Amino acid sequence: MDAIADRPKTYKYGFVTDVETEKFPKGLSEEVVRAISARKNEPDFLLEFRLNAFRWWKEQEPPRWAHVEFPPIDFQDIHYYAAPKSMEDAPQSLDDVDPELLRTFDRLGIPLHEREQLADVAVDAVFDSVSVGTTHQDILAEMGVIFCSFSEAAQKHPELIKKYLGTVVPPRDNFYAALNSAVFSDGSFVFVPKGVQCPIDLSTYFRINASKTGQFERTLIVCEEGASVSYVEGCTAPVRDENQLHAAIVELVALDDASIKYSTVQNWYGGDEQGRGGIYNFVVKRGRCEGARSKISWTQVEAGSAITWKYPSVILKGDDSVGEFYSVALTNNRMQADTGTKMVHIGKNTSSTIISKGISCDQSKNSYRGLVKVTPGASGARNYSQCDSMLVGDGCEANTFPYLEIHNQGAVIEHEATTSRISDEQLFYLQSRGLDSEAAISLLVNGFCKEVFRTLPLEFSVEAVKLLEMKLEDSVG
Amino acid sequence: MLKIRDLKARVVDGPEILKGIDLDVKAGEIHALMGPNGSGKSTLSRVLAGHPDYEVTGGTVEFEVDREPQNLLAMEAHERACAGVFLAFQYPVEVAGVSNTVFLRAAFNAICKAQGAAPIDAFDFRELLAEKLELIGMDASYLERPVNLDFSGGEKKRNEILQMAVLAPRLAILDETDSGLDVDSLRIVSEGVKKLSTPDNATLMITHYQRMLQHITPDIVHVLMDGRIVKTGDHTLAEAVETRGYDWVREAA
Ligand SMILES: Nc1ncnc2c1ncn2[C@@H]1O[C@H](COP(=O)(O)OP(=O)(O)O)[C@@H](O)[C@H]1O
Ligand SMILES: [Mg+2]
């Protein structure tokens, strides 16, 4: 572990694990794409998928429309694959995994050893470009639930991957989607068969460790008819002066009567007070309510990253399907966030709910951007959106960019927005009633975010509250 | 219980507002502090509560905790509250997203904790709240509303007294609680404040006219002018101020 004593004290995940790492040389070319695919022993259709994406990507310019500022990224200055040497011949079980890697996840609060595993959550732990291991796989297998790393799924369930990969986010959807589709390394695959309610939460923990490396994870979750699952994603990275790119894709597919709940607690390193370093978190997350009465619900607590640029969305194709987006985005120091959602109503009687809470502190920029689209055939569509911003201090910025494209007269659309400020007067008022500044801030933040925290699985909601309190204390105190 | 000596204070880097205050408050007493607008009444109350905008430039404030005099000025705002100091704000602050009940229970438990008592459970707390609501004639519907948000001026004042009733401070400082209350509310709130007064606690009522004092007879009345207490007397002083005005006090002082 390196010395980070003088680094931001509130980011306790800023350490580096000292393991021997195999990295591909910097830069992106067809050769690199082929090498990644070969390294993972992928079936031919996946190599084709990657190459198709890469060829399109090469011709594209990076998009610049988000309300964020950053110097152009040199895509040839990034390593597209990094993995601990010890993972070279994939360990057969967690017992064979390098203890140093297991210790890393211990330190992150994600014990993987059988004895200490979290009882009611199955975890897939991803370290740089590879999955280190997945817990509780056997119990899940008994119920027919598949939960494994994407690489493993490509080996063991190629037919499922072939059937669903890229069906929600096509490789040519946008610049970063194409980049990910060309070079994605690891991530998780979840398949819940017809009628099965997954009995425990599934969770993937993403850890970036190697420097000058991008992380391009790929997650695919499929729930067949009547199935349901709750999935949680967490992420951290070391404190470094450089910016690192994290360009992920998450695809969700829900068939008739299926329900997918996807929660994220994102705490990538966000850079220092001057805005040096931190992760560029450019992610495409999209779910497709394919079947009638299906439901997809996104909850995100975005508390890290130098730049967060993502819009977890739902395509409401099935009749009576339901889409939800609950978000808390906190920015401090010089962090920038442009995040929100897209709800696309296609089926009849579809409904969507958007609750977004933005908290901006210090010199940060925090924007909500959301689209509600109702197609001509989507009779009976309903949407409720509420976007609230909270400002802490005078140097920060909060914006709301709501877009409406309504092509059906009968649609019922409601939008509310508020902006408030945590003032010194408010803090004093609470303190004068006996609450110390920590308790006062926690009361204010919990009050502001409670509609979102309520939707998180309990243990993650506790974590999320603590995380926000810690970040806010720095800015308010 | 409270002993203020030659207290001087200013807004950080601003001109002096309190220019040497002396004041003694004993357990069981009700004091009234009167004075024209801008004389420094709110400043004194906020300095006593520990507001960070103010800087004490001289003097001392002792507050008895368990019969031991403590340096109040060395404590942070929340520590003063936990020691039993309560300020009913002249302009109560709105807190969106936090319900009155949640707020009151958090405050109540913070004070319990500081005093080494066990926290109260939600059920017992409901009962306590019901009793206090009745005391000051407040409707239970206020409990689930966000603290002071969209309350009328009078409702905010009443809500301050509800907090006082629940937190049961040893020293309550009421900053112009009477302004904003209509005649009936004033009577009910005053009755409540009177009932809350015990031989073990004390009340300092700040006002610039006599309205509330018609309901609650203070033991001691002080007149504050331009940052100094210029006159102290019994309840007849309040009446004299009301009829003759502050100029009379200035001349008499
Ligand atoms: N936070 C502050 N910033 C600037 N001036 C202040 C502040 N608080 C009080 N003052 C000034 O101090 C003086 C006394 O104010 P205040 O204590 O509110 O008087 P009162 O409550 O007796 O009407 C006034 O001149 C007021 O403008
Ligand atoms: Mg005043």
Side-chain angles (χ1 to χ4, degrees), chain A residues 443-444 446-448 450, chain B residues 95-99 146-147 149:
Chain A
L443 199 63
L444 290 172
N446 272 309
F448 184 67
K450 60 176 181 263
Chain B
V95 188
V98 181
S99 78
V147 179
L149 193 69

Side-chain angles (χ1 to χ4, degrees), chain A residues 238-295:
Chain A
V239 168
R240 288 209 177 90
D241 284 343
E242 69 192 40
N243 293 111
Q244 279 178 280
L245 180 63
H246 171 85
I249 291 183
V250 176
E251 295 179 282
L252 313 181
V253 180
L255 303 187
D256 287 354
D257 300 292
S259 161
I260 302 176
K261 185 173 162 55
Y262 191 108
S263 315
T264 304
V265 177
Q266 185 263 109
N267 188 22
W268 295 118
Y269 177 55
D272 66 9
E273 279 166 39
Q274 272 73 47
R276 276 185 307 241
I279 301 293
Y280 290 164
N281 189 32
F282 300 167
V283 173
V284 183
K285 288 184 167 167
R286 198 175 298 158
R288 192 175 171 86
C289 283
E290 185 67 40
R293 297 167 304 278
S294 56
K295 176 175 174 184

Side-chain angles (χ1 to χ4, degrees), chain B residues 96-155:
Chain B
V98 181
S99 78
N100 248 335
T101 308
V102 168
F103 170 48
L104 280 167
R105 184 150 165 249
F108 189 89
N109 282 336
I111 293 175
C112 284
K113 190 174 168 200
Q115 297 179 347
I120 192 167
D121 71 37
F123 188 75
D124 291 342
F125 193 65
R126 292 239 152 236
E127 284 191 356
L128 177 78
L129 277 180
E131 179 193 317
K132 303 301 179 189
L133 279 171
E134 195 177 317
L135 182 75
I136 55 160
M138 231 170 124
D139 190 287
S141 67
Y142 291 98
L143 292 179
E144 296 317 313
R145 286 176 55 183
V147 179
N148 294 329
L149 193 69
D150 302 320
F151 283 27
S152 74
E155 289 168 340

Side-chain angles (χ1 to χ4, degrees), chain B residues 36-43 45-46 90-91 175-176 206 208:
Chain B
N37 280 329
S39 55
K41 303 183 297 296
S42 293
T43 302
S45 71
R46 286 149 72 89
Q90 182 175 4
Y91 304 108
D175 192 357
E176 297 208 25
I206 295 178
H208 68 117

Side-chain angles (χ1 to χ4, degrees), chain B residues 152-209:
Chain B
S152 74
E155 289 168 340
K156 285 182 183 168
K157 293 302 180 63
R158 212 183 258 225
N159 202 27
E160 293 291 286
I161 303 306
L162 173 66
Q163 295 175 33
M164 170 184 163
V166 170
L167 302 181
R170 286 171 45 249
L171 173 67
I173 305 168
L174 312 185
D175 192 357
E176 297 208 25
T177 297
D178 46 4
S179 59
L181 289 175
D182 60 39
V183 186
D184 292 333
S185 313
L186 180 64
R187 182 176 45 78
I188 297 166
V189 168
S190 302
E191 290 305 318
V193 170
K194 241 193 318 202
K195 279 186 209 145
L196 291 171
S197 164
T198 71
D200 298 321
N201 63 25
T203 309
L204 177 61
M205 286 189 296
I206 295 178
T207 177
H208 68 117
Y209 56 128

